[in-house]
Amino acid sequence: MKKQGMKHDKIYYWGGIIALTMRVEKINNICNLGTGTMGFGITLVFAIAGYEVRMFGRSDASIKRGFSNIKIALDTYQKNGLIQKVDVPQILGRVKGVTTLEEAAEGADFVIESVAEELAVKKEVFAKIEKLCSPDTIFATNTSGLSPTAIANVLEHKERFIVAHFWNPPHLLPLVEVVPGKSTSQQVVEITKKLMVKIGKKPVILNREALGFIGNRMQLALLREALYIVESGIATKEAVDAAVKYSLGRRLSTTGPLESADLGGLDIFYNISAYLLKDLSNSTDVSPILKEAVEKGNLGSKTGAGLYEWTPETLKNIKVSRENNLIEWLRKDKTI
């Protein structure tokens, strides 16, 4: 192929297509945009893996909260033997809190964003930071389901943009969904996948973008049926949650839905499908139960009430139980 155009640092232009010469081994500096629930956890994961991280927050107060949550998570890791006490100062030393995009972008090889889940906000942030970064920086969004193509519309080099969707809590759950947009280069997909493996995650790559990716599509399908069962008077919410926790929840941690079907026998699942699918919810409207709760301001644990009532004690207990369970799985992941 005939070379066209010019060489810019580590980027070569070939007939209008940009080819990065960046390799995952050359990624050393991470720019993390956000200090909230996802931002601090993603920062921590990269820092534990040995990367220098600039953690961007809009104020000194947000940086302080981010560091506070990082220290709490490190304490949990240490108490459970996932890191040693001697490692903590080194991990914290790799994180620098900054409050300007100029500082955040300095030396960044890989930028990941966890700001508000609003398309306009994400587009504004990436439009600004692309101008501050080097020509071979890779840009990733931690969106839970927005279109990477839509976000990347504001970028000059759309081929360098990708989704790296960590699951909450990101320092305890291994999944990262890697989702290319329409213009994302295959090289960026491969580098992002390798980077996620290097920080100890379990990346899954989508062939193409789809709203909600894999995890949230599956999660919302399950939630739709769970709410429908309660709405229809088939069972109480407590019974629905118990049924999932003590059957599907335990089995699916070892075998996914398609593996489970194979193990159960496709003929069995075929026969069940023939009579059951027509009785399942196929509504495209938001559940009345969900709609009513939101309209009343009952948003879940953060407001003290949602589908359940949440006292400080019950919330603490379930969070501790969940954390202990996820940490046990982290231990198992390290031995597999």
Side-chain angles (χ1 to χ4, degrees):
M1 181 182 291
K2 183 180 178 181
K3 182 176 177 181
Q4 300 179 12
M6 53 191 285
K7 177 181 174 182
H8 276 255
D9 294 332
K10 298 177 183 177
I11 286 193
Y12 298 84
Y13 292 74
W14 298 88
I17 299 174
I18 296 180
L20 293 164
T21 62
M22 170 68 77
R23 301 195 307 273
V24 70
E25 294 80 12
K26 295 261 182 102
I27 293 178
N28 299 303
N29 299 305
I30 306 298
C31 167
N32 179 83
L33 305 175
T35 61
T37 301
M38 301 300 292
F40 90 84
I42 294 172
T43 293
L44 175 59
V45 170
F46 276 105
I48 288 175
Y51 290 90
E52 300 291 328
V53 187
R54 289 176 179 255
M55 180 175 67
F56 167 81
R58 287 181 291 182
S59 66
D60 290 335
S62 66
I63 295 296
K64 185 177 179 179
R65 283 194 300 270
F67 271 109
S68 176
N69 286 326
I70 286 173
K71 290 173 182 176
I72 291 170
L74 282 172
D75 186 55
T76 300
Y77 269 40
Q78 185 187 326
K79 286 178 179 178
N80 287 277
L82 295 173
I83 60 170
Q84 301 301 313
K85 185 176 182 179
V86 69
D87 298 326
V88 173
Q90 296 177 3
I91 293 168
L92 288 172
R94 296 186 193 114
V95 180
K96 181 179 181 180
V98 298
T99 55
T100 68
L101 289 178
E102 287 79 8
E103 292 175 288
E106 186 178 343
D109 301 311
F110 187 89
V111 174
I112 182 158
E113 160 274 321
S114 299
V115 299
E117 188 70 353
E118 298 176 22
L119 182 60
V121 174
K122 293 183 185 295
K123 290 171 75 169
E124 180 182 3
V125 167
F126 280 112
K128 289 179 179 178
I129 202 161
E130 183 187 32
K131 295 179 174 62
L132 302 171
C133 291
S134 69
D136 57 348
T137 302
I138 293 173
F139 300 98
T141 174
N142 183 50
T143 178
S144 300
L146 293 174
S147 163
T149 299
I151 299 173
N153 276 343
V154 297
L155 299 180
E156 182 180 352
H157 298 300
K158 299 174 178 59
E159 70 284 344
R160 289 190 276 147
F161 187 81
I162 196 163
V163 170
H165 177 225
F166 290 69
W167 272 64
N168 185 32
H171 59 293
L172 296 178
L173 280 172
L175 177 66
V176 177
E177 294 173 297
V178 178
V179 188
K182 289 182 179 178
S183 300
T184 307
S185 77
Q186 185 59 35
Q187 189 175 8
V188 166
V189 174
E190 291 301 321
I191 290 173
T192 304
K193 175 186 175 183
K194 289 176 182 177
L195 181 61
M196 295 304 108
V197 171
K198 284 191 71 175
I199 64 174
K201 293 302 180 182
K202 304 288 186 184
V204 296
I205 298 176
L206 274 67
N207 295 328
R208 63 175 179 85
E209 64 178 285
L211 292 177
F213 314 142
I214 297 173
N216 273 320
R217 292 177 78 93
M218 300 295 293
Q219 182 170 240
L220 266 292
L222 178 59
L223 179 61
R224 177 173 65 181
E225 189 59 33
L227 290 168
Y228 177 70
I229 289 171
V230 176
E231 290 165 13
S232 303
I234 297 171
T236 64
K237 61 181 183 293
E238 292 85 0
V240 171
D241 279 340
V244 173
K245 285 191 287 189
Y246 302 124
S247 62
L248 293 176
R250 296 191 177 183
R251 188 169 68 193
L252 289 174
S253 63
T254 304
T255 58
L258 304 180
E259 290 172 321
S260 294
D262 261 2
L263 290 173
L266 294 185
D267 55 332
I268 303 298
F269 277 87
Y270 176 86
N271 291 335
I272 293 173
S273 297
Y275 69 80
L276 185 56
L277 289 182
K278 23 178 109 84
D279 201 53
L280 299 180
S281 173
N282 62 0
S283 174
T284 57
D285 296 323
V286 175
S287 161
I289 292 178
L290 200 58
K291 184 174 184 290
E292 181 181 3
V294 170
E295 288 177 347
K296 288 182 177 179
N298 296 330
L299 308 181
S301 61
K302 62 185 176 183
T303 60
L307 302 175
Y308 290 92
E309 297 292 325
W310 295 97
T311 66
E313 183 179 5
T314 57
L315 180 57
K316 179 182 177 181
N317 289 342
I318 201 165
K319 282 187 172 181
V320 169
S321 178
R322 182 180 73 168
E323 185 175 83
N324 289 339
N325 186 43
L326 295 178
I327 287 171
E328 188 60 33
W329 272 108
L330 279 181
R331 289 200 187 96
K332 290 179 181 179
D333 287 339
K334 292 180 182 295
T335 61
I336 293 175

